[in-house]
Amino acid sequence: AVVWDDCDLPTTVQHLWSSRTLFGAGQVPCYTPHPIYVVTTKENSSSSFYDEFVQALMQKVEQTKVGRTPNEENIDMCGLMHATQLHKLAAWVQQARNGGAKVETGGNINTQMSSGY
């Protein structure tokens, strides 16, 4: 996904969240876009837009309710299906950290789920 600095920020964040661009986690077919590129124009070249975007997106992500199955009420997404996927995803996060990535929210295994991954 590409986010331009002249976008309607609340609408863009809602669209990214609801389109599940963020939630592939290795379970969705490969056509799901994972990276989000934030583009600033010369006229509006300010790092403040990037910071605003990240803050708005993280606020939405942190409100996401994760459950065990899609049949549960009031959940936004299910957890991972297999322990193998959990360990693969945890390794990707660690690899990104080792490469200098900054994890904005989460980044750890969810220990609050009573079952599932």
Side-chain angles (χ1 to χ4, degrees), residues 27 68 78-86 116-117:
Q27 298 185 139
R68 173 72 175 118
C78 296
L80 297 171
M81 295 172 63
H82 300 286
T84 303
Q85 292 171 318
L86 173 67
Y117 304 100

Side-chain angles (χ1 to χ4, degrees), residues 29-45:
C30 61
Y31 59 77
T32 301
H34 293 275
I36 299 173
Y37 300 98
V38 179
V39 179
T40 57
T41 60
K42 290 181 182 177
E43 298 83 34
N44 190 22
S45 60

Side-chain angles (χ1 to χ4, degrees), residues 16-32:
L16 287 170
W17 181 86
S18 63
S19 70
R20 300 303 191 245
T21 296
L22 308 172
F23 301 134
Q27 298 185 139
V28 178
C30 61
Y31 59 77
T32 301

Side-chain angles (χ1 to χ4, degrees), residues 2-79:
V2 178
V3 177
W4 294 88
D5 60 357
D6 61 351
C7 72
D8 177 304
L9 191 56
T11 301
T12 300
V13 167
Q14 178 62 38
H15 177 70
L16 287 170
W17 181 86
S18 63
S19 70
R20 300 303 191 245
T21 296
L22 308 172
F23 301 134
Q27 298 185 139
V28 178
C30 61
Y31 59 77
T32 301
H34 293 275
I36 299 173
Y37 300 98
V38 179
V39 179
T40 57
T41 60
K42 290 181 182 177
E43 298 83 34
N44 190 22
S45 60
S46 168
S47 63
S48 66
F49 174 77
Y50 175 82
D51 295 336
E52 288 174 42
F53 172 75
V54 170
Q55 181 180 3
L57 186 60
M58 291 307 101
Q59 183 177 15
K60 186 68 176 170
V61 168
E62 289 168 355
Q63 294 171 354
T64 302
K65 294 176 181 69
V66 180
R68 173 72 175 118
T69 70
N71 300 330
E72 289 182 57
E73 291 185 32
N74 301 318
I75 67 162
D76 298 311
M77 65 181 284
C78 296

